[in-house]
């Protein structure tokens, strides 16, 4: 659950919680917030399984995760270059600004978009897409080469500019329904039967994610989000003041399982924690304590597959940390 701060030393909406996911989190023994690990400017989460797998959950900056529905695409161009991010490339992607090639995509290789941005146009399409590949490489490709009929990909946010996240309701007596297992799997008036709020014409609703469910006036989409009264639940998309069935740049709800970026992290039995940028390079770092008290640092580099420049065991920077019963 997310408790949103108000920026003034307190909580927004009386600390009303927002559900970020369901069905998987009991499988982790440690969760830590390193900040922006993948370099897109949005805070992320790291979670460790008892068996040592380290899983990255990429935040979308809007109370949810990128690509929760696991939306994947392919390219129609075989051998397409995946280009390494850098500050110049991230501001305006082009072959010149993104000169370093870190991998290639074939026509059968699936990838997941992280975000999209206008750059140097290719084939009449001005958009470039920041992606993560099935081998956990993170980089840029020109949107022209993606197997999709339009220039912009649906449900993929802009890498820099914030998109509209709050909508008005255009009728009275719209129920915001409490979430439940049945409602999450197939939202409908039957499965989402417990109202927790009522919105009227002009009230606001901030979406977190959307998915298909019961068709309401020819619109199959339902939206999970936060009402202007601070209640988190579901409403049919039909009641939102937007002309299309599906809201733009909004992820599909689902059990997002994250991206595994490492193994063997169970060796840090003394704890995992994230101090922020420890070495002053502007990138988030992670610390781990082994049973013998050795303190290891992993320096973030904003680049997959591991997102650490010293992923092979980290770097020992101190000893004796087993004297502390908790570090955070």
């Amino acid at each position: 659950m997310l408790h949103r701060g108000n920026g003034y030393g307190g909580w927004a909406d009386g600390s009303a919680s927002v559900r970020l996911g369901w069905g998987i989190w009991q499988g982790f023994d440690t969760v830590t917030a390193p900040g922006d690990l993948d370099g897109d400017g949005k805070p992320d989460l790291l979670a460790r399984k008892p068996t040592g797998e380290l899983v990255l959950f990429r935040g979308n900056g809007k109370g949810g995760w990128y690509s929760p529905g696991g939306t994947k695409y392919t390219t129609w161009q075989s051998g397409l270059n995946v280009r390494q991010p850098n500050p110049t490339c991230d501001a305006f992607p082009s072959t010149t600004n993104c000169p370093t090639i870190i991998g290639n995509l074939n026509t059968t290789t699936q990838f997941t978009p992280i975000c999209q941005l206008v750059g140097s146009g290719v084939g009449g399409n001005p958009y470039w897409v920041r992606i993560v590949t099935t081998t956990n490489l993170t980089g840029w490709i020109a949107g022209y080469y993606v197997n999709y009929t339009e220039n912009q990909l649906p449900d993929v946010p802009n890498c820099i500019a914030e998109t509209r996240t709050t909508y008005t309701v255009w009728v009275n007596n719209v129920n915001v329904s409490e979430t439940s297992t049945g409602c999450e799997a197939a939202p409908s008036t039957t499965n989402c039967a417990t109202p927790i709020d009522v919105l009227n014409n002009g009230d606001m609703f901030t979406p977190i994610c959307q998915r298909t469910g019961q068709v309401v006036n020819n619109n199959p989409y339902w939206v999970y989000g936060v009402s202007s009264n601070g209640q988190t639940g579901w409403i049919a998309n039909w009641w939102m003041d937007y002309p299309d069935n599906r809201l733009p740049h909004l992820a599909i709800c689902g059990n997002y399982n994250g991206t595994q970026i490492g193994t063997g992290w169970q060796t840090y039995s003394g704890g995992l924690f994230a101090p922020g940028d420890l070495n002053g390079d502007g990138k988030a770092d992670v610390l781990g304590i082994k049973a013998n008290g050795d303190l290891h640092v992993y320096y973030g580099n904003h680049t997959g597959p591991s997102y650490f420049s010293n992923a092979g065991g980290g770097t020992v920077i101190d000893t004796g940390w087993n004297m502390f019963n908790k570090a955070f």
Side-chain angles (χ1 to χ4, degrees):
M1 306 299 287
L2 170 68
H3 292 267
R4 298 177 297 157
N6 63 8
Y8 301 98
W11 302 110
D13 305 320
S15 191
S17 59
V18 177
R19 192 171 186 175
L20 298 183
W22 39 81
I24 64 169
W25 293 91
Q26 69 273 23
F28 300 106
D29 63 5
T30 299
V31 177
T32 189
D36 175 23
L37 197 68
D38 63 355
D40 66 353
K42 310 294 193 305
D44 306 311
L45 279 184
L46 286 174
R48 183 187 66 185
K49 295 182 179 180
T51 48
E53 293 91 340
L54 188 67
V55 180
L56 170 65
F57 291 83
R58 296 180 178 86
N60 63 9
K62 302 171 185 177
W65 313 116
Y66 278 134
S67 301
T71 306
K72 298 184 186 302
Y73 293 86
T74 57
T75 174
W76 56 264
Q77 175 69 54
S78 183
L80 179 64
N81 294 330
V82 179
R83 298 179 176 273
Q84 187 175 45
N86 66 66
T88 304
C89 176
D90 295 345
F92 190 82
S94 68
T95 54
T96 301
N97 291 346
C98 317
T100 304
I101 297 170
I102 56 174
N104 303 97
L105 298 177
N106 293 318
T107 55
T108 58
T109 305
Q110 291 188 323
F111 61 86
T112 302
I114 297 174
C115 57
Q116 55 194 338
L117 182 67
V118 171
S120 179
V122 177
N125 186 339
Y127 283 89
W128 284 63
V129 186
R130 185 161 179 159
I131 68 168
V132 57
T133 71
T134 52
T135 56
N136 285 344
L137 289 177
T138 300
W140 290 93
I141 63 172
Y144 171 68
Y145 298 107
V146 179
N147 266 326
Y148 190 69
T149 55
E150 299 177 7
N151 285 349
Q152 293 188 63
L153 299 180
D155 310 322
V156 178
N158 190 290
C159 296
I160 295 178
E162 291 294 331
T163 56
R164 182 186 181 192
T165 58
T166 299
Y167 297 82
T168 55
V169 172
W170 59 271
V171 293
N172 292 325
N173 300 316
V174 175
N175 285 336
V176 178
S177 299
E178 185 177 29
T179 193
S180 66
T181 301
C183 184
E184 291 158 4
S188 67
T189 53
T190 301
N191 293 341
C192 312
T194 305
I196 55 175
D197 197 6
V198 177
L199 299 180
N200 293 310
N201 185 15
D203 287 342
M204 310 300 289
F205 192 81
T206 302
I208 295 172
C209 59
Q210 61 191 331
R211 70 169 305 154
T212 54
Q214 176 188 6
V215 176
V216 178
N217 291 322
N218 297 318
N219 188 333
Y221 280 89
W222 285 62
V223 183
Y224 179 71
V226 184
S227 75
S228 52
N229 298 317
Q231 299 299 312
T232 305
W234 293 86
I235 68 171
N237 197 18
W238 167 255
W239 309 120
M240 309 275 284
D241 189 11
Y242 188 74
D244 293 333
N245 283 352
R246 185 168 59 182
L247 299 179
H249 306 300
L250 184 65
I252 302 300
C253 304
N255 283 338
Y256 179 36
N257 294 317
T259 301
Q260 182 176 312
I261 63 172
T263 58
W265 286 72
Q266 75 273 22
T267 59
Y268 297 106
S269 57
L272 286 175
F273 56 106
D277 175 21
L278 199 65
N279 62 349
D281 66 353
K283 301 177 178 65
D285 306 317
V286 173
L287 293 171
I289 303 173
K290 291 197 170 183
N292 65 358
D294 288 351
L295 179 67
H296 290 235
V297 62
Y298 287 79
Y299 295 115
N301 64 2
H302 287 177
T303 304
S306 71
Y307 297 95
F308 300 112
S309 59
N310 57 339
T315 302
V316 179
I317 59 172
D318 205 355
T319 59
W321 280 69
N322 48 352
M323 73 175 71
F324 301 108
N325 63 1
K326 191 71 173 178
F328 50 91

